[in-house]
Amino acid sequence: MTRHLLTIGDLDAPTLHALIADARACKADPSSVHGQLTGRTVLMHFTKASTRTRVSVETAVVRLGGHPIFTRGDELQLGRGEPIGDTAQVLSRMCDAIFIRTFAHADVEELARHATIPVVNALTDAHHPLQALADLMTIEEHLGALPGKTIAWIGDGNNVFHSLAQAAALAGMHIRIAAPEGYDADPEVMAATALIAAEYGGSVTELRDPAEAVAGADIVVTDVFVSMGEEAQTKAKLEAFRGYQVDSRLMAQASSSAIFLHCLPAHRGEEVSGEVIDGPQSVVWDEAENRLHTTVAVLRHLLV
Ligand code: CP
Ligand code: NVA
């Protein structure tokens, strides 16, 4: 059976830890992976904007000696209505893996159903597994062993949160979310994640009050209030998320050694203050760099 990475749910706990360990080894010795994908092709098809994901995947493929092909939404016949299944079968005859960034998660699932090569979710409206791997790697680098650590997520129960929660659960961490009413995480994802967290000694707690969520937390995380594709909801969301900004006052209620994460791009003055994201507790540049190293590890896991 072809292995895919559509959500963190496609990984088990040993694989999650192995990916992070491999990413850290590849970061320490980048040349050790040279030539491992020589002659192989990775198709990246993105129908949403991207800086980190696009550049990290392309760079990871090149670092491994492979060839990345990047296509935008309207560049494949898919954009003119060619069925996803047909596209998957054709790409499977030519390429070695597909990284896809798009809106509907179901489209990525359909692509994976018809593909005979690995499909990797490079962000959908529902999940962002590559980001979660980089986040856990960054936490481990800065704070050491993951089990038992507490993450406080302030803001939208969105794609990035779903993947981070799933990864944190598998790593035996405690994850708290403070979201305003109407912007909770997907209840099905949360129910399944809570079971996994319990199995590994962690927990999932859903709250409304940011202060309650960050109290004593080791890691404070947020993301944009308005995700790609939600532009029409901007006014309503910015109103609903008033009081959910991660600022110095909120950070002060976390552990004194707490770190701040944000997948980026960030909106200073909305979900985070400039003081926090550009301050001493912020590890967002390491987090962004680690997108590259974790993607190298994912490619090695799926293709080498
Ligand atoms: N964090 C992240 O996925 O960034 P991009 O949208 O720039 O890829
Ligand atoms: N939640 C954001 C993440 C961007 C990397 C979005 O989906 O736009």
Side-chain angles (χ1 to χ4, degrees), residues 232-291:
Q233 300 174 48
T234 301
K235 196 167 169 281
K237 287 196 93 172
L238 292 186
E239 217 144 277
F241 285 91
R242 210 175 286 146
Y244 283 81
Q245 183 183 105
V246 178
D247 56 16
S248 308
R249 187 192 48 79
L250 193 66
M251 271 312 280
Q253 297 173 64
S255 159
S256 56
S257 54
I259 55 173
F260 172 77
L261 270 72
H262 189 311
C263 65
L264 307 176
H267 291 94
R268 287 170 179 78
E270 285 184 17
E271 75 277 5
V272 62
S273 69
E275 233 179 5
V276 168
I277 195 167
D278 300 314
Q281 288 170 288
S282 173
V283 295
V284 299
W285 312 123
D286 290 340
E287 181 185 7
E289 178 188 336
N290 287 339
R291 293 295 310 276

Coordinates of all heavy atoms in Angstrom, one line a residue, residues 232-291:
A232 N -13.7 36.7 2.9 CA -15.0 37.3 3.0 C -15.4 37.4 4.5 O -16.3 38.2 4.8 CB -16.0 36.5 2.2
Q233 N -14.8 36.6 5.3 CA -15.2 36.6 6.8 C -14.3 37.6 7.6 O -14.4 37.6 8.8 CB -15.0 35.2 7.4 CG -15.9 34.1 6.8 CD -15.5 32.8 7.4 OE1 -15.4 32.6 8.6 NE2 -15.2 31.8 6.5
T234 N -13.5 38.3 6.9 CA -12.5 39.1 7.7 C -13.1 40.0 8.8 O -12.6 39.9 9.9 CB -11.6 40.0 6.7 OG1 -11.0 39.1 5.8 CG2 -10.6 40.8 7.4
K235 N -14.1 40.7 8.4 CA -14.7 41.7 9.4 C -15.2 40.9 10.6 O -14.9 41.2 11.8 CB -15.8 42.5 8.7 CG -16.1 43.7 9.5 CD -17.0 44.7 8.7 CE -17.6 45.8 9.5 NZ -18.8 45.3 10.3
A236 N -16.0 39.9 10.4 CA -16.6 39.1 11.4 C -15.6 38.4 12.3 O -15.7 38.4 13.5 CB -17.6 38.1 10.9
K237 N -14.5 37.9 11.7 CA -13.5 37.2 12.4 C -12.7 38.1 13.3 O -12.5 37.8 14.5 CB -12.6 36.3 11.5 CG -13.3 35.1 11.0 CD -12.4 34.0 10.4 CE -12.0 33.0 11.4 NZ -11.2 31.9 10.9
L238 N -12.3 39.2 12.7 CA -11.5 40.2 13.5 C -12.3 40.7 14.7 O -11.7 40.8 15.8 CB -11.0 41.4 12.7 CG -10.0 41.0 11.6 CD1 -9.5 42.3 10.9 CD2 -8.8 40.2 12.1
E239 N -13.6 40.8 14.6 CA -14.4 41.2 15.7 C -14.5 40.0 16.8 O -14.3 40.3 18.0 CB -15.8 41.5 15.2 CG -16.5 42.6 15.9 CD -17.3 43.4 14.9 OE1 -16.7 44.3 14.2 OE2 -18.5 43.1 14.9
A240 N -14.7 38.8 16.3 CA -14.9 37.7 17.2 C -13.6 37.4 18.0 O -13.6 36.9 19.1 CB -15.2 36.4 16.4
F241 N -12.4 37.7 17.3 CA -11.1 37.4 18.0 C -10.6 38.5 18.8 O -9.4 38.4 19.2 CB -10.1 36.9 16.9 CG -10.4 35.5 16.4 CD1 -11.2 35.3 15.3 CD2 -9.9 34.4 17.1 CE1 -11.5 34.0 14.9 CE2 -10.2 33.1 16.7 CZ -11.0 32.9 15.6
R242 N -11.4 39.6 19.0 CA -10.9 40.7 19.8 C -10.6 40.1 21.2 O -11.4 39.3 21.8 CB -11.9 41.8 19.9 CG -11.2 43.1 20.1 CD -12.2 44.3 20.0 NE -12.6 44.6 18.7 CZ -13.9 45.1 18.4 NH1 -14.7 45.2 19.3 NH2 -14.2 45.4 17.1
G243 N -9.5 40.4 21.8 CA -9.1 39.8 23.1 C -8.3 38.5 23.0 O -8.0 37.9 24.0
Y244 N -8.1 38.1 21.8 CA -7.3 36.8 21.6 C -5.9 37.1 21.1 O -5.2 36.2 20.7 CB -8.1 35.9 20.7 CG -9.2 35.2 21.4 CD1 -10.4 35.8 21.6 CD2 -9.1 33.9 22.0 CE1 -11.5 35.2 22.3 CE2 -10.1 33.3 22.6 CZ -11.3 34.0 22.8 OH -12.3 33.4 23.5
Q245 N -5.4 38.3 21.2 CA -4.1 38.6 20.7 C -3.0 38.1 21.8 O -3.2 38.3 23.0 CB -3.9 40.1 20.6 CG -2.5 40.5 20.0 CD -2.3 42.0 19.9 OE1 -1.5 42.6 20.7 NE2 -2.9 42.6 18.9
V246 N -2.0 37.4 21.3 CA -0.9 37.1 22.2 C 0.0 38.3 22.3 O 0.7 38.7 21.4 CB -0.1 35.9 21.6 CG1 1.1 35.5 22.6 CG2 -1.0 34.6 21.5
D247 N -0.1 38.9 23.5 CA 0.7 40.1 23.8 C 1.6 39.8 25.0 O 1.5 38.7 25.6 CB -0.1 41.4 23.9 CG -1.2 41.2 25.0 OD1 -1.1 40.3 25.8 OD2 -2.1 42.0 25.0
S248 N 2.4 40.8 25.4 CA 3.3 40.5 26.5 C 2.6 40.2 27.8 O 3.1 39.4 28.6 CB 4.2 41.8 26.8 OG 4.8 42.2 25.6
R249 N 1.4 40.8 28.0 CA 0.7 40.6 29.2 C 0.2 39.1 29.3 O 0.3 38.5 30.3 CB -0.5 41.6 29.2 CG -1.4 41.6 30.4 CD -2.7 42.3 30.2 NE -3.4 41.9 29.0 CZ -4.1 40.7 28.9 NH1 -4.3 40.0 29.9 NH2 -4.7 40.4 27.7
L250 N -0.2 38.6 28.1 CA -0.6 37.2 28.1 C 0.6 36.3 28.2 O 0.5 35.3 29.0 CB -1.4 36.9 26.8 CG -2.2 35.6 26.7 CD1 -3.3 35.6 27.7 CD2 -2.7 35.3 25.3
M251 N 1.7 36.6 27.5 CA 2.9 35.7 27.6 C 3.4 35.7 29.0 O 3.9 34.6 29.5 CB 4.0 36.3 26.7 CG 4.1 35.9 25.3 SD 3.9 34.1 24.9 CE 5.6 33.5 25.2
A252 N 3.2 36.8 29.8 CA 3.7 36.8 31.2 C 3.0 35.8 32.1 O 3.5 35.4 33.1 CB 3.6 38.2 31.7
Q253 N 1.9 35.3 31.6 CA 1.1 34.3 32.4 C 1.5 32.9 32.1 O 1.1 31.9 32.8 CB -0.4 34.5 32.2 CG -0.8 35.9 32.7 CD -2.3 36.2 32.4 OE1 -3.2 35.6 32.8 NE2 -2.5 37.2 31.5
A254 N 2.3 32.7 31.1 CA 2.8 31.4 30.7 C 4.0 31.1 31.6 O 4.4 32.0 32.4 CB 3.2 31.3 29.3
S255 N 4.6 29.9 31.5 CA 5.9 29.6 32.2 C 6.9 30.7 31.9 O 7.0 31.2 30.8 CB 6.4 28.2 31.8 OG 7.7 28.1 32.1
S256 N 7.8 31.0 32.9 CA 8.8 32.0 32.6 C 9.8 31.6 31.5 O 10.4 32.4 30.9 CB 9.6 32.4 33.9 OG 10.1 31.2 34.4
S257 N 9.9 30.3 31.3 CA 10.8 29.8 30.2 C 10.0 29.5 28.9 O 10.5 28.8 28.0 CB 11.5 28.6 30.6 OG 10.6 27.6 31.1
A258 N 8.7 30.0 28.8 CA 7.9 29.6 27.7 C 8.4 30.2 26.4 O 9.0 31.2 26.4 CB 6.4 30.1 27.9
I259 N 8.2 29.4 25.3 CA 8.5 29.9 24.0 C 7.3 30.2 23.2 O 6.2 29.7 23.5 CB 9.4 28.9 23.2 CG1 8.7 27.5 23.1 CG2 10.8 28.8 23.8 CD1 9.5 26.5 22.2
F260 N 7.4 31.1 22.2 CA 6.3 31.5 21.3 C 6.5 31.0 19.9 O 7.6 31.1 19.3 CB 6.2 33.0 21.3 CG 5.1 33.5 20.3 CD1 3.8 33.4 20.6 CD2 5.5 34.0 19.1 CE1 2.8 33.7 19.6 CE2 4.6 34.4 18.1 CZ 3.2 34.2 18.4
L261 N 5.5 30.3 19.4 CA 5.5 29.8 18.0 C 4.4 30.4 17.2 O 3.3 30.7 17.7 CB 5.3 28.3 18.0 CG 6.5 27.4 18.1 CD1 7.1 27.4 19.5 CD2 6.2 25.9 17.8
H262 N 4.7 30.5 15.9 CA 3.7 31.0 14.9 C 4.1 30.4 13.6 O 5.3 30.6 13.2 CB 3.7 32.5 14.9 CG 2.5 33.2 14.1 ND1 2.2 32.8 12.8 CD2 1.7 34.2 14.4 CE1 1.2 33.5 12.4 NE2 0.8 34.3 13.3
C263 N 3.2 29.8 12.9 CA 3.6 29.1 11.6 C 4.0 30.1 10.5 O 4.7 29.8 9.6 CB 2.5 28.2 11.1 SG 1.0 29.1 10.6
L264 N 3.5 31.4 10.7 CA 3.8 32.5 9.7 C 3.0 32.2 8.4 O 2.8 31.0 8.1 CB 5.3 32.7 9.4 CG 6.2 32.9 10.7 CD1 7.6 33.0 10.2 CD2 5.8 34.2 11.4
P265 N 2.6 33.2 7.6 CA 2.8 34.6 7.9 C 2.0 35.1 9.0 O 0.9 34.6 9.3 CB 2.3 35.2 6.6 CG 1.3 34.3 6.0 CD 1.8 32.9 6.4
A266 N 2.6 36.2 9.7 CA 2.0 36.8 10.9 C 1.4 38.1 10.6 O 1.9 38.8 9.7 CB 3.0 36.9 12.0
H267 N 0.4 38.5 11.3 CA -0.1 39.9 11.3 C 0.1 40.5 12.6 O -0.7 40.4 13.5 CB -1.6 39.8 10.9 CG -1.9 39.4 9.5 ND1 -2.2 38.1 9.2 CD2 -1.9 40.0 8.4 CE1 -2.4 38.0 7.9 NE2 -2.2 39.1 7.4
R268 N 1.2 41.3 12.7 CA 1.5 42.0 14.0 C 0.4 43.0 14.3 O -0.1 43.7 13.4 CB 2.8 42.7 13.8 CG 4.0 41.8 13.8 CD 5.3 42.6 13.5 NE 6.5 41.7 13.5 CZ 6.8 40.8 12.6 NH1 6.0 40.6 11.5 NH2 7.9 40.1 12.7
G269 N -0.1 42.9 15.5 CA -1.2 43.8 15.9 C -2.5 43.1 15.8 O -3.5 43.7 16.3
E270 N -2.6 42.0 15.1 CA -3.9 41.2 15.1 C -3.7 40.0 16.1 O -3.9 40.2 17.3 CB -4.2 40.7 13.7 CG -4.8 41.9 12.9 CD -5.2 41.4 11.5 OE1 -5.4 40.2 11.3 OE2 -5.4 42.3 10.6
E271 N -3.2 38.9 15.6 CA -3.2 37.7 16.5 C -2.0 37.8 17.5 O -1.9 37.0 18.5 CB -3.2 36.4 15.7 CG -1.9 36.1 15.0 CD -1.7 36.8 13.6 OE1 -2.6 37.6 13.3 OE2 -0.7 36.5 12.9
V272 N -1.0 38.6 17.1 CA 0.2 38.7 18.0 C 0.7 40.1 18.0 O 0.7 40.8 17.0 CB 1.3 37.7 17.5 CG1 1.8 38.0 16.1 CG2 2.5 37.6 18.5
S273 N 1.3 40.5 19.1 CA 1.9 41.9 19.2 C 3.3 41.8 18.6 O 4.0 40.7 18.7 CB 1.9 42.4 20.6 OG 2.8 41.7 21.4
G274 N 3.8 42.9 18.1 CA 5.2 42.9 17.6 C 6.2 42.6 18.7 O 7.2 41.9 18.5
E275 N 5.9 43.0 19.9 CA 6.7 42.8 21.0 C 7.0 41.3 21.3 O 8.1 40.9 21.6 CB 6.0 43.4 22.3 CG 6.8 44.3 23.1 CD 5.9 44.8 24.2 OE1 4.8 44.3 24.5 OE2 6.4 45.7 24.9
V276 N 5.9 40.5 21.1 CA 6.0 39.1 21.4 C 6.7 38.4 20.2 O 7.7 37.7 20.4 CB 4.7 38.5 21.7 CG1 4.8 36.9 21.6 CG2 4.1 38.9 23.0
I277 N 6.3 38.6 19.0 CA 6.8 37.8 17.9 C 8.3 38.2 17.6 O 9.1 37.4 17.2 CB 6.0 37.9 16.6 CG1 6.4 36.9 15.6 CG2 6.0 39.3 16.0 CD1 5.4 36.6 14.5
D278 N 8.6 39.5 17.9 CA 10.0 39.9 17.7 C 10.8 39.9 19.0 O 11.9 40.5 19.1 CB 10.0 41.3 17.1 CG 9.3 41.3 15.7 OD1 9.6 40.4 14.9 OD2 8.5 42.2 15.5
G279 N 10.2 39.4 20.1 CA 10.9 39.4 21.4 C 11.7 38.1 21.7 O 11.8 37.2 20.9
P280 N 12.2 38.1 22.9 CA 13.2 37.0 23.2 C 12.6 35.6 23.4 O 13.3 34.6 23.3 CB 13.8 37.5 24.6 CG 12.8 38.4 25.1 CD 12.1 39.1 24.0
Q281 N 11.3 35.5 23.6 CA 10.6 34.2 23.7 C 10.2 33.6 22.4 O 9.9 32.4 22.3 CB 9.4 34.3 24.7 CG 9.8 34.5 26.1 CD 8.6 34.9 27.0 OE1 8.1 36.0 26.9 NE2 8.2 33.9 27.8
S282 N 10.3 34.4 21.4 CA 9.8 33.9 20.0 C 10.9 33.1 19.4 O 12.1 33.4 19.3 CB 9.6 35.2 19.2 OG 9.3 34.7 17.9
V283 N 10.4 31.9 18.8 CA 11.4 31.0 18.1 C 10.9 30.8 16.7 O 11.1 29.8 16.1 CB 11.5 29.7 18.9 CG1 12.2 29.9 20.2 CG2 10.2 28.9 19.0
V284 N 10.2 31.8 16.2 CA 9.5 31.6 14.9 C 10.5 31.4 13.7 O 10.1 30.8 12.7 CB 8.5 32.8 14.6 CG1 7.4 32.8 15.6 CG2 9.2 34.1 14.5
W285 N 11.7 32.0 13.8 CA 12.6 31.8 12.7 C 13.2 30.4 12.7 O 13.4 29.8 11.6 CB 13.7 32.9 12.7 CG 13.1 34.3 12.9 CD1 13.4 35.2 13.8 CD2 12.0 34.9 12.1 NE1 12.6 36.3 13.7 CE2 11.8 36.2 12.7 CE3 11.3 34.5 11.0 CZ2 10.8 37.0 12.2 CZ3 10.3 35.4 10.5 CH2 10.1 36.6 11.1
D286 N 13.4 29.9 13.9 CA 13.9 28.5 13.9 C 12.7 27.6 13.4 O 13.0 26.6 12.7 CB 14.2 28.1 15.4 CG 15.4 28.7 15.9 OD1 16.3 29.2 15.1 OD2 15.6 28.8 17.2
E287 N 11.5 27.9 13.8 CA 10.4 27.1 13.4 C 10.2 27.1 11.9 O 10.0 26.1 11.3 CB 9.1 27.8 14.1 CG 7.8 27.1 13.8 CD 6.6 27.9 14.4 OE1 6.8 29.0 14.9 OE2 5.5 27.4 14.3
A288 N 10.4 28.3 11.3 CA 10.3 28.4 9.8 C 11.5 27.6 9.2 O 11.2 26.8 8.2 CB 10.4 29.9 9.4
E289 N 12.7 27.7 9.7 CA 13.8 26.9 9.1 C 13.6 25.5 9.2 O 13.9 24.7 8.3 CB 15.1 27.3 9.8 CG 16.3 26.5 9.3 CD 17.6 26.5 10.0 OE1 17.8 27.6 10.7 OE2 18.4 25.6 9.9
N290 N 12.9 25.0 10.3 CA 12.7 23.6 10.6 C 11.7 23.0 9.6 O 11.6 21.8 9.5 CB 12.4 23.4 12.0 CG 13.6 23.5 12.9 OD1 14.7 23.5 12.4 ND2 13.3 23.8 14.2
R291 N 11.0 23.9 8.9 CA 10.1 23.3 7.8 C 11.0 22.6 6.8 O 10.6 21.6 6.2 CB 9.3 24.5 7.2 CG 8.3 25.2 8.0 CD 7.2 24.2 8.4 NE 6.6 23.6 7.2 CZ 5.7 24.1 6.4 NH1 5.2 25.2 6.7 NH2 5.3 23.4 5.3

